[in-house]
Amino acid sequence: MDMKRLAIGTIVGGITLFAVGYVIFDVATASFYAENLIDVDSAYRDTPDHLLQALGNLALGALVTLGILSRPGTPTVTSGLLTGALIGFLVWLGADLTLVSLTNVWNSIIVFIDPLFEGLHHGIAGAVIAAVLARVPNSAMRSAE
Amino acid sequence: MDMKRLAIGTLVGVVTMHIVGYLMFDLATVSFYNANDAAAATFNREVNLQWSIGLGNLALAALLALCLTNRAGPSTIAGGLLTGAVVGFLVWFGVDFTFYGYQSRWSLTLIFVDPLLGAIQMGIGGAVLAAVLARVTGGASMRPAE
């Protein structure tokens, strides 16, 4: 495992996930989510804690980067997009269904829509990560030069 | 992509993760979660929806099976354990902190402990999944000469 590429991908992924996530979930679809919450007032913060969200995005950025790096060959924007979208969809389908099984905060519509938005969210991040990693030389290739 | 191995891995993973998850989160640590959940009385269901947890585990097991079937070389229990633990930790660290950014239900202690428990759950799932995949012969992509 090339740790430098993993670190670069994780940071790029974390930043991209944070920026795209803000646009998708805090701006574009905020009213949709608010309408489908059963009890907004007591469970949700008045203002999202962006520092902790960024920390969460760093972990998910690492996961997408690991997925991209585990594929053979040089990363491409298309393969990064597909890998990120698949990971984002599966992660959030699993997480959302688990959340709904334990709580009654969300209604069931969100559970099936949210993973699609997250697939888009992580797909964009995967494309950006792959575009950056394609320009970062592999350590093993450099040491052979 | 060997679809047979992917399907078997997903099914084995979901069964294992559901059983381990039930033992860990519904029995062993339930009081810890309730103690760190500010909204336990008002938001939490009186009875968990097992079908929804099962569907959630199916998606996460598919992710784990994709990781393990795409790895080079034969599946080993240690490799499955490590892969499952890394995937489980990153998934739940990312999800928990994202939810924590929006919601005030859970304490910060729980946000750090939950990904570790998630890593144990998915690590066990990965180990069992890898043990089964090691005994499953590959599909067409692994038998080009036959």
Side-chain angles (χ1 to χ4, degrees):
Chain A
M1 181 65 69
D2 187 332
M3 296 310 289
K4 183 185 169 189
R5 286 164 63 85
L6 178 60
I8 290 172
T10 299
I11 293 167
V12 169
I15 293 169
T16 310
L17 281 171
F18 186 80
V20 176
Y22 180 80
V23 173
I24 293 177
F25 299 106
D26 288 2
V27 178
T29 63
S31 58
F32 168 75
Y33 280 84
E35 285 165 10
N36 285 282
L37 286 168
I38 291 166
D39 192 338
V40 186
D41 293 338
S42 45
Y44 276 68
R45 299 181 191 283
D46 293 334
T47 310
D49 190 329
H50 289 300
L51 182 67
L52 293 169
Q53 284 183 334
L55 209 56
N57 285 333
L58 208 60
L60 294 170
L63 188 67
V64 173
T65 304
L66 281 169
I68 290 170
L69 289 179
S70 69
R71 297 190 66 163
T74 307
T76 64
V77 172
T78 308
S79 71
L81 181 80
L82 289 174
T83 304
L86 185 61
I87 289 173
F89 177 79
L90 290 175
V91 164
W92 284 100
L93 183 63
D96 290 345
L97 281 164
T98 303
L99 181 77
V100 162
S101 69
L102 305 175
T103 70
N104 48 30
V105 176
W106 281 7
N107 71 20
S108 52
I109 295 169
I110 281 195
V111 179
F112 295 100
I113 299 293
D114 183 62
L116 297 175
F117 286 145
E118 290 290 359
L120 174 69
H121 180 202
H122 289 68
I124 293 170
V128 175
I129 292 168
V132 172
L133 288 182
R135 285 158 182 78
V136 177
N138 195 319
S139 309
M141 288 168 66
R142 276 204 315 276
S143 60
E145 285 172 1
Chain B
M1 179 71 66
D2 187 333
M3 297 309 289
K4 180 184 166 190
R5 285 167 60 83
L6 181 62
I8 290 172
T10 301
L11 288 176
V12 171
V14 68
V15 171
T16 308
M17 283 168 56
H18 198 85
I19 293 169
V20 174
Y22 181 80
L23 294 174
M24 284 177 64
F25 299 108
D26 287 9
L27 296 181
T29 63
V30 65
S31 57
F32 169 74
Y33 276 81
N34 283 336
N36 284 281
D37 190 340
T42 49
F43 291 136
N44 287 4
R45 296 183 190 279
E46 290 181 18
V47 180
N48 295 340
L49 298 178
Q50 291 298 327
W51 66 265
S52 186
I53 298 175
L55 268 182
N57 282 332
L58 189 68
L60 295 174
L63 181 69
L64 200 50
L66 273 170
C67 292
L68 290 175
T69 53
N70 276 340
R71 288 188 69 165
S75 299
T76 64
I77 291 175
L81 182 77
L82 194 63
T83 303
V86 170
V87 170
F89 179 80
L90 290 176
V91 164
W92 288 108
F93 191 96
V95 168
D96 287 345
F97 270 87
T98 302
F99 277 132
Y100 190 79
Y102 284 107
Q103 299 177 354
S104 54
R105 297 177 52 231
W106 282 9
S107 73
L108 200 56
T109 306
L110 192 56
I111 302 296
F112 280 104
V113 172
D114 185 64
L116 297 174
L117 295 175
I120 294 172
Q121 181 196 14
M122 286 190 78
I124 294 171
V128 174
L129 205 155
V132 172
L133 286 181
R135 286 158 181 76
V136 177
T137 53
S141 62
M142 293 182 69
R143 298 195 301 263
E146 291 179 8

